[in-house]
Amino acid sequence: MNVLSPTSTGISHGRLTIHSAPKALCSHIDWSISEVFGFPFRGEWKVQTLVAGSYRLDLPWQGKIGSASHLATALAGWEFLRFEITQSARMGCDGEFYRFTPNLKMHFSTINESGDIVVHENIILSTISRNQEPALLEEKLYSLLGLPWDRELEPFRVAMSEEDFHPQNKISI
């Protein structure tokens, strides 16, 4: 298992899961990961069975605080990816949770130490004041929580856990 861990102060950790990436992008993604963490990286890519011709990568990481946002920015430039990135909360710092799908693009959430999504009261109050119609308010609140992204990514999460339960050959690209 790869663990990304450059030495520096202000260290955090998290997880990068690329649910699907076209084969042609895998080496470019490795290069982007190398750029964010500052050392050469080559992923252990596995075949993604849900999307023909695509691969997946799942790995924990350790790096400077802000690495999750740098990874998300680097990966969001390729619209054919599906990925999730977390940066764990630390004492005094909220965590971060990024999700990306080709349909919905990027979603960002703040997470607490338990991994729960946190929506701050000013955002909730603003959403309520701008969306008086109950159905529209419900849709906006679901969007704040990232539920549309969860719906799109859940089949990939399930497939990944099933494949990890029945391991296939690892593919080096």
Side-chain angles (χ1 to χ4, degrees):
M1 175 182 287
N2 291 321
V3 176
L4 305 173
S5 57
T7 56
S8 70
T9 59
I11 299 294
S12 188
H13 67 278
R15 177 162 229 93
L16 166 63
T17 304
I18 299 175
H19 292 289
S20 69
K23 182 178 181 176
L25 290 183
C26 294
S27 61
H28 297 285
I29 293 167
D30 286 350
W31 180 81
S32 292
I33 292 170
S34 297
E35 287 291 309
V36 169
F37 289 100
F39 61 87
F41 172 78
R42 184 170 178 164
E44 293 180 21
W45 293 88
K46 296 180 182 179
V47 173
Q48 171 52 264
T49 58
L50 296 179
V51 179
S54 70
Y55 293 81
R56 67 180 179 87
L57 177 70
D58 183 51
L59 59 119
W61 61 266
Q62 181 176 328
K64 295 178 185 177
I65 293 173
S67 294
S69 63
H70 292 292
L71 278 172
T73 300
L75 297 177
W78 291 302
E79 64 182 67
F80 299 112
L81 300 182
R82 288 175 183 83
F83 65 83
E84 297 179 271
I85 304 168
T86 59
Q87 179 171 294
S88 298
R90 300 178 31 183
M91 190 160 54
C93 292
D94 291 331
E96 300 175 357
F97 183 25
Y98 297 88
R99 292 174 270 196
F100 187 91
T101 70
N103 277 348
L104 300 171
K105 305 303 179 207
M106 184 73 74
H107 183 267
F108 168 78
S109 296
T110 300
I111 55 174
N112 64 19
E113 291 179 9
S114 301
D116 296 323
I117 292 173
V118 176
V119 181
H120 298 283
E121 74 179 271
N122 289 338
I123 294 172
I124 294 171
L125 291 172
S126 173
T127 301
I128 291 169
S129 70
R130 286 183 285 149
N131 300 284
Q132 297 295 316
E133 183 183 324
L136 187 56
L137 177 59
E138 181 180 32
E139 179 186 330
K140 294 296 183 179
L141 291 174
Y142 283 159
S143 184
L144 284 174
L145 293 171
L147 294 180
W149 285 262
D150 282 339
R151 280 188 216 107
E152 282 200 27
L153 292 171
E154 190 60 22
F156 293 91
R157 295 172 184 150
V158 170
M160 185 172 68
S161 64
E162 289 173 356
E163 288 175 12
D164 287 342
F165 186 71
H166 302 288
Q168 296 178 344
N169 293 332
K170 292 180 181 174
I171 309 276
S172 293
I173 296 179

